[in-house]
């Protein structure tokens, strides 16, 4: 009996040791296995887009999207929500959302968007070329950069669609006054043929300069801002102006500010 009792005690001790060892490794408790049904749900991202490590930086993204090699920015000040009957053909969809996923060194590519979820469909908008404006979530996104555009006329699809040009406060963006009808027409006529050299070239000459805020009002009621830098004679859209265009802008600006008592 004593031998049997000793064998039984030894067996119980061995089983207990095996049970403890199953949850430990090198003295450290291992993480318990989780069944697929218990695993936390994670948004499906393309495998190649998964961040390799956690981003510790706080990234404040501009609300942009990129499709077909063109980068667009949400026109939140100069456009209204687009109705479904204004949508044109589908031109793409979002495949990766940068917010909460990408870090500061991420290089944007086609299908990327700052805040739009994966699967968001992107459409052309009736009345405009998709190289200039597209729609996502019924919001208007307007071209920021198109490396294929040789002129501002190719970048901005506004020929024959402009109502007027106005001057805004550089402090708060509030309207100050409008160019005359003749000056507005001349401004657009001289603006569109300008060579599109890209923002970087203009920035190199204007980075220490304060800009003049202009707003282009379109016939459909929408608008967009142009920032003009007089010393560098450049536009933030990536073009340098002519002497006559600079003269026109500065004369209209002086007249508008004088009429407003500024």
């Amino acid at each position: 009996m004593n031998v049997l009792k000793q064998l039984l005690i030894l067996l119980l001790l061995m089983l207990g040791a095996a049970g403890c060892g199953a949850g430990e490794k090198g003295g450290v408790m291992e993480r318990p296995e989780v069944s697929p049904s218990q695993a936390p749900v994670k948004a499906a991202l393309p495998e190649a887009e998964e961040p390799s490590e956690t981003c510790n930086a706080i990234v404040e993204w501009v609300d942009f999207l990129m499709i077909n090699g063109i980068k667009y920015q949400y026109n939140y000040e100069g456009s209204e929500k687009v109705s479904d009957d204004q949508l044109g053909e589908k031109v793409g969809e979002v495949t990766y959302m940068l917010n909460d996923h990408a870090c500061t060194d991420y290089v944007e590519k086609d299908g990327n968007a700052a805040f739009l979820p994966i699967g968001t469909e992107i459409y052309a908008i009736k009345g405009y070329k998709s190289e200039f404006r597209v729609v996502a979530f019924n919001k208007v996104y307007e071209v920021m950069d198109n490396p294929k555009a040789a002129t501002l006329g190719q970048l901005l699809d506004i020929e024959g669609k402009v109502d007027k040009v106005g001057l805004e406060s550089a402090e708060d963006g509030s309207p100050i006054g409008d160019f005359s009808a003749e000056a507005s027409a001349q401004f657009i006529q001289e603006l569109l043929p300008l060579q599109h050299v890209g923002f970087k070239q203009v920035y190199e000459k204007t980075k220490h300069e304060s800009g003049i805020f202009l707003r282009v009002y379109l016939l459909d009621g929408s608008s967009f801002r142009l920032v003009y830098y007089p010393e560098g004679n450049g536009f933030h859209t990536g073009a340098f102006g002519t002497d006559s265009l600079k003269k026109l802008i500065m004369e209209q600006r002086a007249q508008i500010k004088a009429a407003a008592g500024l």
Side-chain angles (χ1 to χ4, degrees):
M1 279 296 285
N2 290 338
V3 174
L4 289 174
K5 287 176 70 175
Q6 289 177 356
L7 289 174
L8 180 59
I9 291 171
L10 181 61
L11 179 61
L12 289 172
L13 289 173
M14 291 174 63
L15 288 173
C20 293
E24 299 181 8
K25 187 174 183 179
V28 180
M29 292 298 295
E30 286 189 332
R31 195 185 221 170
E33 293 295 326
V34 180
S35 68
S37 62
Q38 295 173 311
V41 177
K42 182 179 181 183
L45 298 178
E47 185 177 347
E49 299 287 4
E50 288 282 4
S52 58
E53 57 184 28
T54 301
C55 179
N56 295 318
I58 298 175
V59 186
E60 295 183 0
W61 299 105
V62 172
D63 190 355
F64 83 96
L65 64 84
M66 186 169 179
I67 195 76
N68 298 325
I70 302 173
K71 187 184 289 188
Y72 303 82
Q73 182 174 335
Y74 173 38
N75 183 349
Y76 66 95
E77 288 184 315
S79 64
E80 301 290 338
K81 184 176 180 180
V82 176
S83 60
D84 289 344
D85 61 358
Q86 293 176 279
L87 299 180
E89 64 178 357
K90 180 179 175 181
V91 295
E93 66 179 50
V94 176
T95 58
Y96 181 60
M97 183 176 73
L98 276 67
N99 190 46
D100 292 332
H101 295 109
C103 205
T104 53
D105 58 351
Y106 183 81
V107 179
E108 299 95 344
K109 55 179 72 70
D110 276 354
N112 287 181
F115 302 108
L116 299 172
I118 293 172
T120 300
E121 296 181 330
I122 304 167
Y123 293 89
I125 180 172
K126 293 177 181 178
Y128 295 99
K129 295 177 181 178
S130 60
E131 289 85 357
F132 172 53
R133 281 179 171 176
V134 293
V135 179
F137 266 149
N138 298 100
K139 301 192 304 184
V140 174
Y141 285 80
E142 200 164 83
V143 64
M144 289 174 64
D145 181 52
N146 179 2
K148 295 181 181 179
T151 65
L152 286 194
Q154 293 180 9
L155 184 77
L156 309 171
D157 180 24
I158 60 173
E159 186 172 6
K161 303 170 184 176
V162 176
D163 178 29
K164 62 182 180 179
V165 177
L167 176 70
E168 294 182 332
S169 167
E171 295 181 0
D172 60 12
S174 59
I176 299 175
D178 299 330
F179 285 26
S180 68
E182 295 78 9
S184 291
Q186 183 182 346
F187 175 85
I188 298 301
Q189 184 178 2
E190 295 197 33
L191 179 78
L192 298 184
L194 297 178
Q195 181 183 3
H196 178 238
V197 298
F199 171 74
K200 288 184 178 180
Q201 284 196 40
V202 174
Y203 178 72
E204 285 302 314
K205 289 192 65 176
T206 62
K207 56 186 173 183
H208 301 300
E209 184 182 351
S210 298
I212 296 173
F213 284 12
L214 305 175
R215 182 159 292 274
V216 178
Y217 296 89
L218 303 181
L219 294 173
D220 65 357
S222 65
S223 65
F224 63 92
R225 177 178 291 156
L226 281 177
V227 183
Y228 175 69
Y229 301 95
E231 292 181 20
N233 196 11
F235 294 90
H236 85 285
T237 43
F240 292 104
T242 60
D243 290 340
S244 61
L245 187 54
K246 177 179 180 178
K247 182 173 182 291
L248 172 70
I249 294 170
M250 301 310 289
E251 286 178 350
Q252 288 295 303
R253 177 175 181 258
Q255 292 176 19
I256 292 170
K257 291 187 71 174
L262 300 175

